[in-house]
Amino acid sequence: MDVAEALTLHGPALMRYARTVARDSHEAADLYQQTWLRALEHREQVEGFPRERMEPWLIRVMNNALVDIRRREKRAYPVAVSYTHLTLPT
């Protein structure tokens, strides 16, 4: 199965899944796009997949993309520490 055929066959289901796991529609669109970009990067592997294994593989790729997004967010936004409860020496 080639990537174009996989997109036609599994695209709608993947977008529904992306909307389920994402925080908003923009993140869902990013996940969807990253999934297909990764599938294109590995098209030699994808072209050898039987139909019944394609959708689970794409969902795993999408889950991995989501984990990557969350890790980047965690690094980009450090936890704010509040020091308002401390008193300064006089």
Side-chain angles (χ1 to χ4, degrees), residues 83 85-90:
Y83 296 102
H85 65 283
L86 299 176
T87 56
L88 296 173
T90 54

Side-chain angles (χ1 to χ4, degrees), residues 2 13-15 24 29 41 49 52 55 58 62 66 68 76:
D2 66 355
L14 278 176
M15 192 62 199
D24 57 34
E41 290 171 357
F49 274 24
E52 63 273 2
E55 189 172 337
L58 289 167
M62 185 174 285
L66 181 61
D68 291 344

Side-chain angles (χ1 to χ4, degrees), residues 42-59:
H42 300 284
R43 66 180 157 269
E44 304 84 29
Q45 180 182 358
V46 169
E47 289 172 358
F49 274 24
R51 283 182 187 264
E52 63 273 2
R53 289 191 52 214
M54 181 60 71
E55 189 172 337
W57 183 80
L58 289 167
I59 288 173

Side-chain angles (χ1 to χ4, degrees), residues 16-82:
R16 282 192 304 275
Y17 183 71
R19 287 184 184 131
T20 301
V21 297
R23 292 182 181 152
D24 57 34
S25 61
H26 298 290
E27 186 177 70
D30 287 345
L31 277 173
Y32 184 79
Q33 183 178 25
Q34 285 185 25
T35 300
W36 290 110
L37 286 173
R38 290 178 186 193
L40 283 171
E41 290 171 357
H42 300 284
R43 66 180 157 269
E44 304 84 29
Q45 180 182 358
V46 169
E47 289 172 358
F49 274 24
R51 283 182 187 264
E52 63 273 2
R53 289 191 52 214
M54 181 60 71
E55 189 172 337
W57 183 80
L58 289 167
I59 288 173
R60 171 55 54 201
V61 169
M62 185 174 285
N63 283 331
N64 291 343
L66 181 61
V67 167
D68 291 344
I69 287 171
R70 296 290 183 260
R71 284 181 183 153
R72 278 192 300 267
E73 287 174 352
K74 193 173 184 179
R75 285 191 300 250
Y77 302 107
V79 176
V81 178
S82 174

